[in-house]
Amino acid sequence: MTYSRYYTLALTASFAFLLALFTLAVAPIHAQDAPPVPTPSYPADGLTVPTNVPELNWWVGAPLGSMTFDVQVEIAASEAGTCDTAGWPTGIVGLQFDTVGCDPLLLPGETYRWRVRSVDGGVESAWSDWAVFTTDGPGLAVPSIPSYPIGGLEVYTTQLQLHWYTTENNNGISFVAWYLQRTAGSPASCEAIRDDPSAQSAPVTVGITHASVSGLTPGVTYDWCVRSTGLNGSFDSDLASFVTSGPGTAVAATPSYPVDGLEIYTSSPQLSWYTGENNTGVNFTAYYLKRTAAPPADCAAIRLDGSSGSATPPPGATQVAVSNLELGSTYDWCVRSSGLNGDFDSPVAFFETTGAGIAGAPVASWPVGNPTVYQTDQYLHWYMDGMSADWTGFEVEYCVAPNVFGDPSCVTVPAIMETQIPAGAFNYGDVVTWRVRATYASGPPSDWNNLNSQGSFTVVGALSTLFAVPTYPTDDLLVYDTGMTFSWFVAGGVGAANAFKVQYSQDETFPQEGGATFEVESDIEIVDITGLVPGASYWWRVAVSIDGGETFSTWSDAASFAVYAGASAPMPRIGGPTNGIGVSTASPTLSWLVPAPSTSEIVYDLRYSKDGTFDSGNETEITGLAAPFVQVEGLEEGSYQWQVRSRTVDGSSTSAYSEVGRFSTSFRFNVNTEDGSDLQLPVPFVLGQNYPNPFNPSTTIEYRMAETAAVTIKVYNTLGQVVKTLVDGVVPAGVHQVVWDATDNAGASVATGVYLYRMDVAGSTVTRALVLMK
């Protein structure tokens, strides 16, 4: 090798070595100038996260070393920043950031975008691409939808629950129900109600979609709405309305028995009447007057006549016995009802006393039908039905089960001159039966095997002071899970209870057959329940034991809740009429509600029965109802029970039937032979109550004729002026109907208000009231 070649190789090697050193020296400088750009990993790609405070995650393709990160978060639609817009979160160590520290906090139900960059040695990388996600956490408010009572529905109480729902999860949402008594026109909006100084509010526990209100004024219209408030602001619902018909509301009564000149076989009749309202808190007085000349013009003429008699039943009662009437006489009578809203006179009715020589019989009036009583001493009450001219007194017998009438251990009390007697002392748990008969100076006593002369009752007392009080879930709470924990506390003895028994059922009567009621036990004051049915309503109760479950106390009061339906069919709840109230129409409107709507389209099936049973073939069914109410028509006089269920239109789900609603019709109208071929009316004609009532725009009036006769039926205003002539001519025997379309004789529409309609046949008249409500 020549020197020159050696030198060249050495120079080349030196250059390569220096180049390598230079490369090693400048490489870190380039990395420091451009740290790697991170890649967002979660949440991204439009993912919906079940929270409004998600943790943001990313990754980088290099060792972290001293690398930190900066984050930006914006509302996607408006590019409005969050997480401290003035100074983005910086200096984050690690590959995640918890947005719980954002200011302002992320809102639920909002779509966000975010990006991240890395920082190393004070040198920043470029920002990453934007990642997009949507929050779905609690606290997002939407406008509520009122569900009960709505549409001007008449409610038979002055204290009730207002119900509403939303289409969202209500966790973290607060609601306030506002209600206002209407004095003029309906308010324009929920804001108008809230701004009215007369409005009242009913706040509820966060997430609860019903509120209890009380102290309402009877006989008026209320408008109400709901304001929902969440992290995203406050929202007002649409308006709803209802009409109270609760305690203390007086209306004109309608005499029901004896009326229309009916011949009665007693000198001590029981006068009966009805109203179309809840009569709680209303006082009635019946006035009666022996007719000596022309019929009285109105109730005032009877009340102000010095020869008239009067009888007052207990408040709210719609019947009263009168006595010592003269045989073979005609009596006119009426009823005056008095309430918080004033005094009202009924139309005048009349009857005739006859039947001399017919022996009377006592009718047991209290206690009958085995009610629960709470005193060990009781007064037994009855009244006399029929003639009592030869009467010498009463005889009473009462027995404690298992003894039966006639047993030597029964107690017999003779020669009673009053229509009541004290009986006792009984023991708690005793079931008592009793009967009464009248004795006469000549002839045998009345038949006290007659069921109308018999009564019964059960004595109940507090044998223990220890009882459970359910605490959760209660008050018709709407829950969103099919599994939950029931909880309660024990009152009357802290620490005394050591075992508990819990029953829960979709039937408020807790039936013990067919697997409808579930029972679990616990040794602490909570129990976990699973497998609840979506859309179902449940009732549950607790019994307490102090001996480890050998014996248990009586059941606690039942608590109730409903499970969110989702796409299932929700179980309806009875609105009204229920609780055994009486309605004065053959065509009542039955209404119900659901705790929350289904996301599926649903319809309702309703069934009602007069014989007290379902699934017997005697019930009537109405199916495929789109609205949560229906007017049933053509009911006979008597007691009815009814239920309703919901089902999805696509047939995927059918709810259980609701609890049972009970009511009775108190009109006296249906008088037919068994085959319906001959009316056999005991009076020349019968005029029925119009239906519907109140009405808009038309109503039907049904009447029945015993024989062909000239008939007029006219509508009058409260000034006594004729508004419309509905019938004027000869009408054959049979059942007839006429419709009034709320117009006068000139064809003009009449105003909202109370009207009277009167039927006149051969000088005899009957008048009833109707209400037009536009």
Side-chain angles (χ1 to χ4, degrees):
M1 178 185 300
T2 64
Y3 178 81
S4 144
R5 181 181 174 107
Y6 176 82
Y7 178 80
T8 302
L9 291 173
L11 183 61
T12 301
S14 298
F15 179 78
F17 176 75
L18 291 175
L19 180 62
L21 291 177
F22 177 80
T23 301
L24 292 173
V26 300
I29 297 176
H30 285 295
Q32 196 171 18
D33 286 339
V37 177
T39 300
S41 58
Y42 178 87
D45 302 322
L47 182 69
T48 297
V49 294
T51 178
N52 66 314
V53 286
E55 184 181 81
L56 309 182
N57 291 264
W58 56 90
W59 60 274
V60 291
L64 295 182
S66 61
M67 196 182 305
T68 61
F69 301 90
D70 301 339
V71 171
Q72 288 183 340
V73 185
E74 297 179 350
I75 297 175
S78 64
E79 298 184 6
T82 183
C83 288
D84 191 9
T85 305
W88 301 104
T90 59
I92 300 170
V93 176
L95 300 175
Q96 63 273 330
F97 171 69
D98 194 342
T99 58
V100 72
C102 283
D103 182 19
L105 198 65
L106 276 64
L107 296 174
E110 186 65 79
T111 298
Y112 289 89
R113 66 177 189 175
W114 68 282
R115 61 183 181 178
V116 60
R117 68 183 177 188
S118 58
V119 180
D120 194 3
V123 180
E124 301 165 343
S125 75
W127 286 102
S128 69
D129 292 335
W130 290 102
V132 178
F133 67 92
T134 300
T135 56
D136 188 27
L140 178 67
V142 296
S144 301
I145 303 172
S147 60
Y148 181 87
I150 60 175
L153 183 69
E154 185 174 15
V155 295
Y156 296 93
T157 181
T158 56
Q159 55 184 26
L160 73 158
Q161 280 193 338
L162 306 178
H163 290 255
W164 60 91
Y165 64 89
T166 74
T167 56
E168 304 294 337
N169 185 332
N170 294 317
N171 289 341
I173 307 302
S174 60
F175 299 94
V176 179
W178 293 83
Y179 55 102
L180 175 66
Q181 180 178 330
R182 187 184 297 180
T183 56
S186 61
S189 63
C190 187
E191 182 180 8
I193 294 181
R194 293 189 291 102
D195 290 344
D196 193 300
S198 300
Q200 294 179 278
S201 63
V204 297
T205 303
V206 171
I208 301 300
T209 55
H210 61 266
S212 298
V213 298
S214 60
L216 303 177
T217 302
V220 300
T221 297
Y222 279 86
D223 296 287
W224 67 283
C225 62
V226 181
R227 188 167 179 82
S228 52
T229 300
L231 295 174
N232 57 330
S234 298
F235 301 85
D236 286 337
S237 74
D238 291 335
L239 299 183
S241 66
F242 60 91
V243 179
T244 55
S245 182
T249 306
V251 296
T254 300
S256 60
Y257 181 87
V259 297
D260 299 328
L262 183 68
E263 290 185 340
I264 59 173
Y265 296 89
T266 180
S267 60
S268 304
Q270 185 139 317
L271 307 180
S272 300
W273 57 93
Y274 62 83
T275 72
E277 308 293 337
N278 181 340
N279 295 314
T280 304
V282 177
N283 295 307
F284 297 97
T285 301
Y287 293 88
Y288 55 97
L289 176 66
K290 178 184 175 182
R291 186 184 296 180
T292 57
D298 52 27
C299 190
I302 298 178
R303 290 190 293 103
L304 299 177
D305 192 298
S307 302
S308 65
S310 64
T312 302
T318 56
Q319 59 185 20
V320 68
V322 298
S323 58
N324 300 320
L325 303 185
E326 294 184 14
L327 302 179
S329 300
T330 297
Y331 281 85
D332 297 288
W333 69 284
C334 63
V335 181
R336 188 169 179 83
S337 51
S338 302
L340 298 175
N341 56 330
D343 300 321
F344 301 85
D345 285 340
S346 76
V348 175
F350 73 102
F351 61 90
E352 295 181 1
T353 57
T354 186
I358 302 298
V363 177
S365 58
W366 175 259
V368 296
N370 197 32
T372 297
V373 299
Y374 298 91
Q375 292 79 35
T376 55
D377 294 295
Q378 286 294 313
Y379 264 89
L380 313 180
H381 296 260
W382 61 91
Y383 64 89
M384 188 68 173
D385 188 14
M387 297 302 109
S388 55
D390 199 26
W391 166 78
T392 59
F394 298 102
E395 185 176 350
V396 171
E397 180 184 30
Y398 57 89
C399 312
V400 176
N403 299 321
V404 296
F405 292 134
D407 191 281
S409 63
C410 296
V411 177
T412 301
V413 184
I416 304 166
M417 304 307 295
E418 304 293 333
T419 56
Q420 63 180 24
I421 182 178
F426 302 110
N427 296 314
Y428 291 130
D430 282 350
V431 178
V432 183
T433 55
W434 67 280
R435 61 183 180 176
V436 58
R437 66 182 177 184
T439 57
Y440 297 92
S442 59
S446 66
D447 180 12
W448 64 2
N449 290 318
N450 177 5
L451 294 179
N452 290 333
S453 298
Q454 299 177 7
S456 61
F457 58 93
T458 299
V459 183
V460 174
L463 300 179
S464 171
T465 59
L466 205 64
F467 59 95
V469 179
T471 56
Y472 184 87
T474 62
D475 299 324
D476 294 336
L477 181 71
L478 181 64
V479 300
Y480 287 85
D481 199 342
T482 56
M484 69 182 56
T485 300
F486 290 180
S487 62
W488 58 91
F489 70 89
V490 177
V494 177
N498 54 22
F500 306 92
K501 183 167 57 177
V502 177
Q503 285 186 345
Y504 63 99
S505 175
Q506 293 185 49
D507 188 325
E508 63 177 337
T509 64
F510 296 94
Q512 299 305 300
E513 298 179 358
T517 297
F518 300 92
E519 187 170 294
V520 295
E521 294 189 6
S522 174
D523 56 3
I524 57 175
E525 293 167 352
I526 61 173
V527 66
D528 292 326
I529 303 296
T530 60
L532 300 176
V533 178
S537 291
Y538 284 91
W539 288 262
W540 66 283
R541 60 187 182 179
V542 184
V544 177
S545 176
I546 59 175
D547 55 14
E550 293 295 325
T551 58
F552 285 91
S553 70
T554 57
W555 292 105
S556 68
D557 291 338
S560 60
F561 65 94
V563 183
Y564 180 66
S568 302
M571 175 179 163
R573 290 186 174 174
I574 295 294
T578 189
N579 299 322
I581 68 167
V583 296
S584 59
T585 175
S587 305
T589 297
L590 312 183
S591 61
W592 55 92
L593 64 136
V594 291
S598 171
T599 56
S600 301
E601 183 181 0
I602 61 171
V603 293
Y604 303 97
D605 300 330
L606 179 138
R607 63 183 182 180
Y608 63 91
S609 169
K610 189 171 182 289
D611 67 2
T613 61
F614 293 119
D615 300 320
S616 64
N618 294 325
E619 69 270 15
T620 299
E621 294 187 355
I622 305 175
T623 61
L625 297 167
F629 59 87
V630 66
Q631 184 179 38
V632 296
E633 298 184 355
L635 299 186
E636 299 176 350
E637 183 175 4
S639 298
Y640 286 83
Q641 64 177 25
W642 63 283
Q643 290 179 302
V644 63
R645 69 182 179 187
S646 71
R647 55 185 170 87
T648 57
V649 172
D650 62 12
S652 62
S653 174
T654 300
S655 78
Y657 272 103
S658 68
E659 69 271 31
V660 176
R662 293 179 173 85
F663 67 95
S664 62
T665 53
S666 56
F667 58 96
R668 292 182 65 252
F669 194 79
N670 299 284
V671 186
N672 290 322
T673 58
E674 290 185 2
D675 62 5
S677 61
D678 188 357
L679 291 175
Q680 298 290 318
L681 293 177
V683 291
F685 66 92
V686 176
L687 177 64
Q689 184 66 51
N690 67 298
Y691 63 88
N693 189 37
F695 74 95
N696 181 30
S698 64
T699 188
T700 299
I701 299 170
E702 185 172 315
Y703 61 100
R704 302 188 178 194
M705 300 291 298
E707 57 186 21
T708 300
V711 177
T712 61
I713 300 179
K714 297 181 179 181
V715 180
Y716 298 80
N717 59 26
T718 54
L719 299 177
Q721 300 166 327
V722 176
V723 174
K724 185 70 169 279
T725 299
L726 302 177
V727 178
D728 187 8
V730 176
V731 176
V735 180
H736 306 277
Q737 291 182 342
V738 62
V739 176
W740 184 37
D741 60 359
T743 62
D744 60 18
N745 280 326
S749 297
V750 299
T752 295
V754 178
Y755 294 85
L756 305 174
Y757 62 101
R758 185 172 72 183
M759 182 176 181
D760 192 308
V761 180
S764 296
T765 64
V766 174
T767 302
R768 299 189 185 277
L770 52 76
V771 179
L772 170 61
M773 184 177 293
K774 295 184 177 180

